Amino acid sequence: MKNAALQPLTKENQGLFERIRRETQELNLNNVTRTKAYFDIYQKHPEIHWAFLGHMVSRNGGWNMTDLKGDLLTRLLTKKERNDYFSFLERGNWLIFQDAYPQFLLYGESLKRGKPLFYLLPYLNISTFMETIWNYFWRSPDPYILTMALVINEQNYLEKRVIQNPVYQKDVLNTLEFKLQDVLSFNQILFPYRKNSLAGQTLHQFQTLHERILLGKRLYKVLFQKKDSFIKWAKEHPHTGSRKDYWPHIFNNVNEGIPGIPYQLRLNSCKLRWGASKIYSPDLMSAWKIVHHQEAEKGDWFRDGQVADYLLETNETQINGEIEYEYCKTLERLELASLAKKVITLFD
């Protein structure tokens, strides 16, 4: 993308541009503010399905961040490893928001003015792919096409800036500990609904762009097959970053453990053993300080029109989102690994 070729903005559009940048920056403070902002957009513009998908996936990002300060991973990873993981998760969460949220604000302004303003997207360093999609959506409002386009866009946007970033490759993605997440099935995306109920999907091969896009398609199917249940839960449970948000019978944002006492197994079939304290899962605000990010790397990822193939609907009319049993097994494996404290050598 060659911003030098862009024409100067009119005074009115310059003011709009500055408002969008300012509002995006104000809400891009941390995972909690981003996650809420996505849900606010969805409630204002329910035709933007991705905003609710982004909200629910962003909740998982927050839970993964606070896990790094919780009971289990503090026993498995060094402080440096936990800080590196957080930096990786936080950068990705921040990047997606500063790319996606301005698009939603520009759409809202287009509705207000009664005309499409998507020609302004390049000024916000948004891909030409999304400019084309938003113009299409304006003429033919298809929530599925827009959602899939945003999934494609955000995953491609992350690919060079985070996944292929040499620092994250060395400090996170190529480490044995990260690869162990596949062994421990720790790449699960959970969608809570009703009391203590979970749906979702598991991602393997996190580093593969194709697999991440396919995961986005599956997650969308799971979420919107019974969206009313998920929306009701989301409204009743503001995001804090603690896993207590969805399983307060297992997790607590207050540390009930006694310092210096070796870890004891607490779970049996996703229920606390008699007399066991809950697993510590802190709120995000108390776990991590606000990060001041470097400006996002410039450049348009869009080079190959074949990515449009992902816009086509899959043949699966229904995707089984059952994940509770698998997630219970994950927690048990993490507990055992924490107890052993030698999980790295066990899988070496």
Side-chain angles (χ1 to χ4, degrees):
M1 186 182 297
K2 297 180 180 178
N3 286 346
L6 296 174
Q7 298 299 311
L9 289 167
T10 64
K11 189 174 182 182
E12 183 183 25
N13 285 337
Q14 181 64 37
L16 171 61
F17 173 81
E18 288 170 2
R19 285 201 309 276
I20 287 174
R21 294 297 290 265
R22 183 171 61 250
E23 185 174 340
T24 301
Q25 191 174 9
E26 286 171 356
L27 294 174
N28 205 1
L29 277 183
N30 58 35
N31 172 265
V32 171
T33 57
R34 292 167 206 136
T35 305
K36 181 181 184 301
Y38 286 141
F39 196 40
D40 289 344
I41 286 288
Y42 179 71
Q43 291 182 97
K44 189 174 183 181
H45 302 295
E47 66 275 24
I48 304 180
H49 289 185
W50 187 94
F52 186 49
L53 176 63
H55 167 77
M56 294 299 280
V57 172
S58 188
R59 281 182 181 255
N60 282 265
W63 296 329
N64 289 335
M65 289 175 188
T66 58
D67 284 345
L68 295 166
K69 291 289 185 81
D71 264 338
L72 302 175
L73 292 189
T74 50
R75 299 166 189 274
L76 288 174
L77 305 176
T78 66
K79 185 175 181 179
K80 181 186 184 304
E81 287 167 341
R82 288 184 280 123
N83 286 337
D84 288 341
Y85 280 136
F86 171 72
S87 175
F88 169 77
L89 293 167
E90 166 66 14
R91 183 64 175 173
N93 204 237
W94 182 89
L95 279 169
I96 286 179
F97 187 86
Q98 64 85 42
D99 185 74
Y101 195 73
Q103 298 180 51
F104 306 147
L105 294 183
L106 196 58
Y107 171 70
E109 187 65 22
S110 296
L111 291 176
K112 195 181 297 182
R113 296 191 193 180
K115 62 179 182 179
L117 300 172
F118 307 117
Y119 64 90
L120 295 174
L121 286 170
Y123 293 85
L124 294 159
N125 299 306
I126 310 295
S127 174
T128 54
F129 174 76
M130 287 312 303
E131 183 181 353
T132 302
I133 294 292
W134 277 109
N135 279 310
Y136 174 81
F137 183 75
W138 186 263
R139 298 189 305 271
S140 307
D142 184 332
Y144 181 84
I145 293 289
L146 179 62
T147 303
M148 290 307 107
L150 284 160
V151 168
I152 293 164
N153 178 64
E154 301 313 338
Q155 291 307 323
N156 276 281
Y157 186 78
L158 285 184
E159 183 67 13
K160 282 191 176 179
R161 292 167 177 81
V162 175
I163 309 301
Q164 300 300 331
N165 183 306
V167 174
Y168 295 127
Q169 283 276 333
K170 173 179 172 289
D171 292 344
V172 178
L173 295 167
N174 289 334
T175 64
L176 178 58
E177 292 87 345
F178 188 84
K179 290 168 184 172
L180 274 177
Q181 290 193 8
D182 255 1
V183 177
L184 296 169
S185 294
F186 199 54
N187 292 329
Q188 288 156 340
I189 306 293
L190 308 176
F191 293 159
Y193 66 103
R194 295 202 298 265
K195 186 177 180 182
N196 301 335
S197 298
L198 298 175
Q201 291 281 293
T202 298
L203 170 65
H204 294 291
Q205 298 178 307
F206 179 84
Q207 289 165 268
T208 307
L209 174 63
H210 173 69
E211 291 300 326
R212 296 198 310 276
I213 292 173
L214 292 185
L215 174 72
K217 291 171 80 79
R218 295 196 305 273
L219 288 172
Y220 175 71
K221 286 280 189 183
V222 170
L223 195 62
F224 278 81
Q225 277 167 182
K226 46 184 176 185
K227 67 173 183 177
D228 292 345
S229 296
F230 295 117
I231 291 169
K232 184 175 186 295
W233 183 89
K235 285 180 177 177
E236 293 171 354
H237 300 84
H239 178 59
T240 70
S242 171
R243 292 190 183 271
K244 179 185 178 182
D245 289 352
Y246 64 86
W247 269 9
H249 61 296
I250 297 290
F251 297 99
N252 198 354
N253 57 353
V254 175
N255 195 344
E256 299 178 3
I258 301 171
I261 301 297
Y263 190 86
Q264 303 291 321
L265 290 180
R266 304 177 192 180
L267 298 178
N268 184 17
S269 300
C270 270
K271 292 180 181 174
L272 281 180
R273 296 170 186 262
W274 186 86
S277 57
K278 294 179 181 178
I279 296 172
Y280 178 49
S281 177
D283 294 345
L284 186 116
M285 300 289 207
S286 60
W288 295 103
K289 293 179 181 177
I290 289 172
V291 175
H292 299 286
H293 288 263
Q294 291 185 341
E295 187 178 348
E297 300 87 342
K298 299 289 193 298
D300 191 344
W301 61 266
F302 182 61
R303 296 285 182 274
D304 185 357
Q306 282 193 321
V307 296
D309 292 346
Y310 289 115
L311 296 174
L312 301 173
E313 289 215 45
T314 53
N315 293 327
E316 306 142 299
T317 54
Q318 187 118 352
I319 292 177
N320 180 11
E322 176 58 46
I323 202 169
E324 283 187 38
Y325 176 79
E326 189 180 345
Y327 179 57
C328 288
K329 290 299 174 188
T330 294
L331 286 178
E332 289 175 4
R333 282 194 291 269
L334 280 171
E335 270 214 307
L336 288 170
S338 299
L339 190 66
K341 290 191 180 179
K342 293 183 180 178
V343 65
I344 307 305
T345 54
L346 287 175
F347 291 97
D348 199 348

